[in-house]
Amino acid sequence: MTMTSDAAHFWAVLVSAQPRRVRFTRTDLLEAFGRAFPHSQGDLNLRERLTSVLNELAAEGLLRLPKPSNRRGYDHSERTSLPRFVNRLDCSRATQKATFWRPELAFAQDFPGAWHEELVAVQNWLRNRGAAAQIVALRERSMEIFGDEKRLDDILGTKLFAAGRLTLDLLKCYLPTVPVYIEAIDIDQHVRPLLVVENHTTFDTLRKWNQRYRRYSAVAFGAGTAFISSSQSLCASLQSVGCSGVTLYFGDVDPRGLWIPVKASQESGIQIRPDHILYELLFQKAREKFIVARNPFPFEANLLDWLPENLRDEAAQCFNKGRRLPQEILSIWDLGGVERQEQSPSFPSRL
């Protein structure tokens, strides 16, 4: 291992007290740091030193920190935030093969240890109540299994939901059907594609922009994963006067953001294509802006095939570095570049 001696010493002290524990709380971390470095008591930089050590251990794959976006995962009471908990990963790998998995989770035997905690939670739910569970909405099931209503959202599109692994049917949950909200422009002699936008902020930006520049027959609000179950409702709009019948999509560049249109295409039978110009502009602007990096994102490589070919390698590099590209990188002032792009014949010539 390449970590510093301080990090190695702290890790040894932390796990020696509870060698089989998988999760350590903030109190555990502070107490272990005090035992490892007795002279640190009263050190005003103690939290900074502990944070540095934890980041180093996370980089070595020994533990997993809460996502920076998870404000409930951190104690912000002082200048330097500390995680309220960390999950141990090396323990998961060591104990995983000793777990007797249910037939539905047989794939877990050879699965990466980083997902051990999630798989154990699913196994416990299946054993205790899953076989007789009633079908409920995805976030209600996520709350029941993980105690976190958004955890299932987070792992959609990862290796856990690849073919032959977890499914919504197995977890007896569904994505709620919410009618797609669509804002169309006035009809003229031209036909244009329809655009679906994942998040509400960028939807609001693009619908306003489209009323002026008229690039799309309509802009629809996908509402995240809800679009998978509601995508079929686009059929009427795609057949309306002024629409070319082409469905374009624009969402976040992260595993879930790619999984949504891929899954929606499979569920609805509608070919949902990436809006090349918007995605290229998103990548261009992302290269110029600071974006918080997290732990690497596990993802299914075939999801990258949905993106424009010239962006796939860069997207993979972002995921491997723990970097996601939210569509909110683009503001209405960035869309001037779209007006100057060469348009396909299905767009009005005046754009």
Side-chain angles (χ1 to χ4, degrees), residues 91-351:
C91 181
S92 299
R93 288 192 289 269
T95 61
Q96 185 177 1
K97 292 190 180 297
T99 303
F100 181 76
W101 295 105
R102 294 173 61 90
E104 308 97 311
L105 302 179
F107 67 87
Q109 186 67 35
D110 301 308
F111 211 64
W115 294 108
H116 187 74
E117 184 178 354
E118 287 80 2
L119 288 166
V120 167
V122 171
Q123 166 125 313
N124 291 338
W125 174 78
L126 287 169
R127 182 180 63 241
N128 295 334
R129 61 188 71 87
Q134 300 295 317
I135 296 175
V136 298
L138 179 126
R139 289 195 175 184
E140 293 170 4
R141 181 67 76 225
S142 183
M143 189 68 200
E144 183 181 359
I145 296 174
F146 302 107
D148 179 348
E149 80 282 5
K150 295 184 178 180
R151 188 62 186 134
L152 275 178
D153 284 273
D154 292 340
I155 62 180
L156 293 176
T158 68
K159 295 178 183 294
L160 278 178
F161 274 82
R165 295 172 185 165
L166 296 184
T167 65
L168 299 186
D169 287 340
L170 174 64
L171 302 179
K172 296 191 175 181
C173 63
Y174 65 92
L175 292 164
T177 300
V178 180
V180 177
Y181 176 77
I182 298 175
E183 184 163 318
I185 60 172
D186 296 334
I187 298 172
D188 56 20
Q189 70 273 27
H190 299 287
V191 293
R192 305 166 172 84
L194 180 148
L195 175 69
V196 179
V197 184
E198 179 181 343
N199 298 327
H200 71 278
T201 297
T202 307
F203 164 75
D204 185 62
T205 295
L206 280 164
R207 73 172 181 82
K208 292 176 180 175
W209 179 87
N210 195 55
Q211 287 296 331
R212 177 176 179 184
Y213 294 102
R214 303 172 63 81
R215 185 169 187 261
Y216 311 101
S217 64
V219 179
F221 174 40
T225 53
F227 178 59
I228 295 169
S229 58
S230 61
S231 54
Q232 190 68 43
S233 67
L234 292 178
C235 290
S237 296
L238 291 172
Q239 296 168 7
S240 64
V241 176
C243 183
S244 65
V246 173
T247 306
L248 300 179
Y249 189 89
F250 181 52
D252 297 334
V253 178
D254 58 21
R256 187 179 65 139
L258 302 185
W259 183 79
I260 291 170
V262 170
K263 189 68 173 176
S265 290
Q266 296 170 350
E267 295 288 326
S268 66
I270 298 171
Q271 184 178 11
I272 300 171
R273 309 172 184 175
D275 189 314
H276 288 225
I277 292 176
L278 288 179
Y279 278 105
E280 287 172 1
L281 183 59
L282 177 66
F283 275 79
Q284 174 191 330
K285 294 299 178 181
R287 297 180 196 116
E288 304 168 0
K289 297 184 178 182
F290 169 76
I291 301 174
V292 173
R294 300 175 172 84
N295 295 325
F297 293 108
F299 65 97
E300 282 296 292
N302 59 8
L303 289 177
L304 297 173
D305 295 340
W306 182 81
L307 281 172
E309 186 173 1
N310 62 314
L311 301 177
R312 294 171 189 171
D313 288 344
E314 188 172 354
Q317 293 172 15
C318 287
F319 295 170
N320 289 328
K321 294 177 180 177
R323 195 167 183 256
R324 62 184 295 273
L325 309 185
Q327 59 183 164
E328 289 85 358
I329 289 173
L330 295 186
S331 73
I332 198 166
W333 309 111
D334 297 318
L335 296 174
V338 176
E339 304 161 39
R340 297 188 290 272
Q341 294 282 350
E342 180 183 352
Q343 306 296 333
S344 70
S346 62
F347 292 105
S349 58
R350 66 171 176 270
L351 287 188

Side-chain angles (χ1 to χ4, degrees), residues 13-67:
V13 171
L14 179 65
V15 301
S16 63
Q18 297 286 345
R20 299 184 63 85
R21 181 180 291 185
V22 174
R23 173 170 287 199
F24 297 99
T25 67
R26 179 179 63 89
T27 300
D28 296 328
L29 299 174
L30 289 169
E31 290 178 351
F33 197 83
R35 293 195 303 273
F37 310 105
H39 300 297
S40 66
Q41 300 302 321
D43 185 349
L44 297 179
N45 296 318
L46 184 150
R47 290 170 71 105
E48 292 180 12
R49 291 180 58 196
L50 176 54
T51 297
S52 176
V53 165
L54 293 175
N55 288 336
E56 196 174 338
L57 293 169
E60 290 291 329
L62 295 174
L63 58 81
R64 182 170 61 202
L65 299 166
K67 292 182 178 180

